[in-house]
Amino acid sequence: MAHVPQTFFDALAVRTWCGLALESLGRAREEIDAINVYPVADGDTGTNLYLTVESAVAAVEAVFAGHAVDSARTGSPSLTDAVRAMAHGALIGARGNSGTILAQLLRGMAQVLAAGGETAHTDGPGLRLALRRAADSAREAVAHPVEGTVLSVASAAADAADGAEGDCGTVARAAYEGARAALAATPGQLPVLERAGVVDAGGRGLVAVLAALVETFTGEAPRGGGSSATGSGSGSGSGSGTYGRGGRGGAGDEQGLLGMPPSGLEAGAVPGPDLEPGAFPRGDDHLVDDCADGEADHGGGGPAFEVIYLLEADDAAVARLRARLDALGDSLVVVGGDGLWNVHVHVDDAGAAVEAGVEAGRPYRIRITHFGLGDVHTTGGERPPRERVQRAVVAVVPGEGLAGLYTEAGATAVLARPGEPPASGELVDAVRRAHAREVVLLPNDPELRHTAAAAAEQARAEGIRVALIPTRSAVQGIAALAVHEPERRFDEDVVSMTSAAGATRYGEVAVAERQAWTMAGICQAGDVLGLIDGDVAVIDSDVMAAAETVLDRMIAAGGELVTIVLGDEAPETIAEHLEARVRESYLAVDTVVYRGGRQGALLLIGVE
């Protein structure tokens, strides 16, 4: 669908490009997954690229939303704010080898586009420089660059852009055409692609992203097939000269460059057995996907595990980490900067890879995936897929402490750090990891209502029965989880959990980040805010006083149990003080206290 083209590369163009790129990857996701044979044939490149861009989109939209509610600002955010948000969102949401490289491509572009400070926009020459920096920085992030991959496609796009004179649309189209030609040539550069009869999956994803860039500045998506590689396609689509056995031009293959899926693998299928979550003893926030019995079963064909984590560390520590991880495995990609990094590596010793991160700084969002039986890295006998459990609970939680609490109660927890809400793809992944026929989804945040609804719809399309309970706070989720009984009929269980959540009033104590109008008046940056059921009810300068006021007002409406969740920055004595206040002032009201970790708010309070 045509849209109004953007003349310059400004904040609105960033927003448009990210949205169009997400749509483009959404259309091509399953087919990109199907041609994923390098570096591991795990059938997830399209999905990983989609989730990476989805995180970038969410970050950019958050910048626009924050700008809109700030009464002191007019117009749109600056280009600098938009591209930095795009790069940061991609960095924290990057998935897999290709997603991590795409995050660095976007970061490289952002470094150039943000160099102008508060400049409102850039033009064709600026876009040329950004594409060159993107390609160079991505290549620098990979320990051992390989030609015939997304790196080759990115370099070709930058080379083609270097020779283009004109506006952003002209430069974008040149980059796209250069990338498309390079993609068609990838099978001749990488034997594994030639044997499988496909082009590089990561490169195909980048072509889709660059097609969205062309559409951003011209108003129309580029059309036409790919150039011939070692063979010509004969499929029914309109694209000509496709590379691959039998051709795959046509619907869903706008560039006419997709090859056939690996032998024996249907489009969109993921090889290997179903995976189940395990436990890993390192880091504060982690997830392990492993074989059905939790044992690594791999041959000598290559590393058995993919390890990914975010890392807070300085440059010197990351340089040492690169050297250590390079000695442990392959497919090493470390992207980021300014104290925050995304680390990706394939290893046999997953524990050693995480320990290296612990020595370098603070790793979190740790994800360890065992490459499934049947992929290019693993050998051995067939194992039957693990039987699905009947019912599970998936919940979004705002802190590491609460994540542990929910996990102990049997739920699959999705950690949402302050300012980093999970995307719908992360929630869908969590529903899949729960490996259940029926799932109860607890978003625990009113801002996640639409995200959770989208995830629920996608899971239902995969045959999972999902009930979304619109919990607005983690304390409501705790109340719902407390009455969860898997042995009950699904509808009865959902009704009981919904009732318990609805009967729980929720409050929080937080610190204002900026001046704003509230239900209780005007607050200034640094003021202590007391919120009840989502509305600001108290503005104070003292945390203890604000907490007491919130607690008293909540209990005044009745209640038998007070739940207090402490954030890392809450005063040390506040829990003991509030417990004593409840005990002395309210008969027959019990209090339970949990530690939530870095949850954003100083306190979460529930009264039921």
Side-chain angles (χ1 to χ4, degrees):
M1 178 181 297
H3 73 283
V4 177
Q6 302 298 311
T7 305
F8 297 103
F9 207 146
D10 58 7
L12 185 57
V14 174
R15 186 187 201 183
T16 302
W17 178 34
C18 288
L20 291 173
L22 187 64
E23 293 176 9
S24 182
L25 288 170
R27 291 190 297 269
R29 180 182 61 82
E30 289 188 1
E31 295 206 49
I32 295 175
D33 282 347
I35 64 169
N36 172 202
V37 298
Y38 182 86
V40 179
D42 48 358
D44 62 358
T45 291
T47 298
N48 287 339
L49 290 169
Y50 180 88
L51 294 175
T52 301
V53 174
E54 184 181 48
S55 182
V57 168
V60 172
E61 290 300 324
V63 167
F64 272 82
H67 191 91
V69 300
D70 191 334
S71 59
R73 300 183 182 182
T74 58
S76 298
S78 68
L79 173 61
T80 295
D81 288 342
V83 294
R84 284 178 175 169
M86 173 188 71
H88 180 73
L91 177 67
I92 65 175
R95 302 289 288 272
N97 190 68
S98 294
T100 307
I101 292 173
L102 177 60
Q104 188 67 4
L105 287 167
L106 296 179
R107 177 178 173 81
M109 291 188 70
Q111 288 174 331
V112 172
L113 297 173
E118 294 304 308
T119 301
H121 63 261
T122 192
D123 51 12
L127 179 55
R128 284 203 308 268
L129 292 173
L131 290 169
R132 170 53 61 195
R133 178 58 189 148
D136 292 346
S137 64
R139 192 169 286 269
E140 292 164 3
V142 178
H144 302 284
V146 175
E147 299 306 324
T149 65
V150 63
L151 297 177
S152 302
V153 177
S155 293
D159 291 342
D162 284 343
E165 296 292 337
D167 59 12
C168 288
T170 302
V171 173
R173 186 174 292 279
Y176 164 76
E177 293 294 347
R180 198 159 66 96
L183 177 63
T186 56
Q189 297 173 291
L190 204 55
V192 66
L193 300 179
E194 188 168 25
R195 288 194 299 270
V198 298
V199 294
D200 179 66
R204 170 62 179 91
L206 180 57
V207 167
V209 172
L210 290 173
L213 187 64
V214 174
E215 186 176 357
T216 298
F217 294 114
T218 66
E220 294 183 356
R223 300 185 181 279
S227 58
S228 177
T230 63
S232 61
S234 58
S236 60
S238 59
S240 63
T242 57
Y243 177 85
R245 301 173 300 219
R248 288 184 65 84
D253 184 11
E254 296 172 357
Q255 320 314 327
L257 287 168
L258 291 177
M260 292 295 288
S263 177
L265 179 62
E266 296 297 325
V270 179
D274 292 322
L275 303 175
E276 73 177 314
F280 194 78
R282 293 283 185 179
D284 61 294
D285 158 28
H286 47 265
L287 161 71
V288 180
D289 290 334
D290 210 330
C291 291
D293 63 0
E295 297 177 0
D297 179 17
H298 57 89
F305 295 96
E306 177 185 60
V307 179
I308 305 174
Y309 49 80
L310 292 179
L311 177 70
E312 294 177 357
D314 59 36
D315 291 0
V318 170
R320 293 191 296 271
L321 175 66
R322 287 179 191 270
R324 181 168 177 186
L325 292 180
D326 192 29
L328 287 175
D330 60 29
S331 296
L332 174 61
V333 185
V334 181
V335 304
D338 301 321
L340 180 62
W341 309 82
N342 191 308
V343 179
H344 170 282
V345 67
H346 295 172
V347 293
D348 279 325
D349 189 345
V354 177
E355 287 168 0
V358 172
E359 292 178 7
R362 194 182 77 84
Y364 60 98
R365 286 196 182 182
I366 300 168
R367 177 178 293 270
I368 302 170
T369 302
H370 181 278
F371 293 124
L373 298 175
D375 67 27
V376 297
H377 273 338
T378 58
T379 60
E382 289 286 335
R383 289 193 181 139
R386 179 170 60 95
E387 182 68 21
R388 288 184 179 274
V389 298
Q390 183 60 32
R391 189 174 309 156
V393 176
V394 173
V396 181
V397 292
E400 298 90 344
L402 280 177
L405 174 67
Y406 273 74
T407 301
E408 289 175 7
T412 297
V414 179
L415 188 66
R417 293 183 178 277
E420 301 176 10
S424 62
E426 293 180 70
L427 299 187
V428 174
D429 276 356
V431 171
R432 292 172 183 149
R433 294 198 310 271
H435 207 65
R437 298 182 182 89
E438 302 168 339
V439 171
V440 180
L441 183 57
L442 307 175
N444 291 340
D445 185 340
E447 299 297 324
L448 291 177
R449 180 183 60 181
H450 297 301
T451 300
E457 283 302 314
Q458 184 173 341
R460 290 175 189 131
E462 297 177 8
I464 304 171
R465 188 180 185 187
V466 181
L468 172 61
I469 298 178
T471 47
R472 302 170 67 85
S473 171
V475 291
Q476 288 189 326
I478 291 173
L481 199 55
V483 299
H484 168 54
E485 292 186 13
E487 295 77 18
R488 276 193 298 222
R489 289 178 58 250
F490 185 62
D491 292 341
E492 292 178 356
D493 197 28
V494 171
V495 168
S496 178
M497 294 176 72
T498 302
S499 178
T504 303
R505 301 191 71 197
Y506 63 97
E508 67 178 81
V509 177
V511 177
E513 296 181 354
R514 58 179 180 268
Q515 183 186 57
W517 290 88
T518 75
M519 296 286 288
I522 301 175
C523 71
Q524 305 295 328
D527 282 348
V528 179
L529 307 180
L531 292 83
I532 299 176
D533 293 337
D535 293 324
V536 176
V538 180
I539 300 175
D540 209 308
S541 59
D542 181 72
V543 174
M544 198 77 75
E548 288 180 353
T549 303
V550 169
L551 184 63
D552 289 342
R553 291 188 186 181
M554 292 178 70
I555 298 180
E560 300 174 349
L561 176 65
V562 174
T563 300
I564 299 173
V565 183
L566 301 174
D568 276 351
E569 297 182 3
E572 292 184 5
T573 60
I574 194 167
E576 182 179 346
H577 178 83
L578 294 179
E579 282 186 286
R581 186 176 186 84
V582 172
R583 185 170 56 251
E584 295 167 3
S585 304
Y586 304 99
L587 298 176
V589 177
D590 295 323
T591 305
V592 59
V593 178
Y594 302 110
R595 294 197 173 274
R598 297 199 306 170
Q599 61 186 23
L602 299 175
L603 294 174
L604 299 178
I605 302 173
V607 176
E608 53 186 296

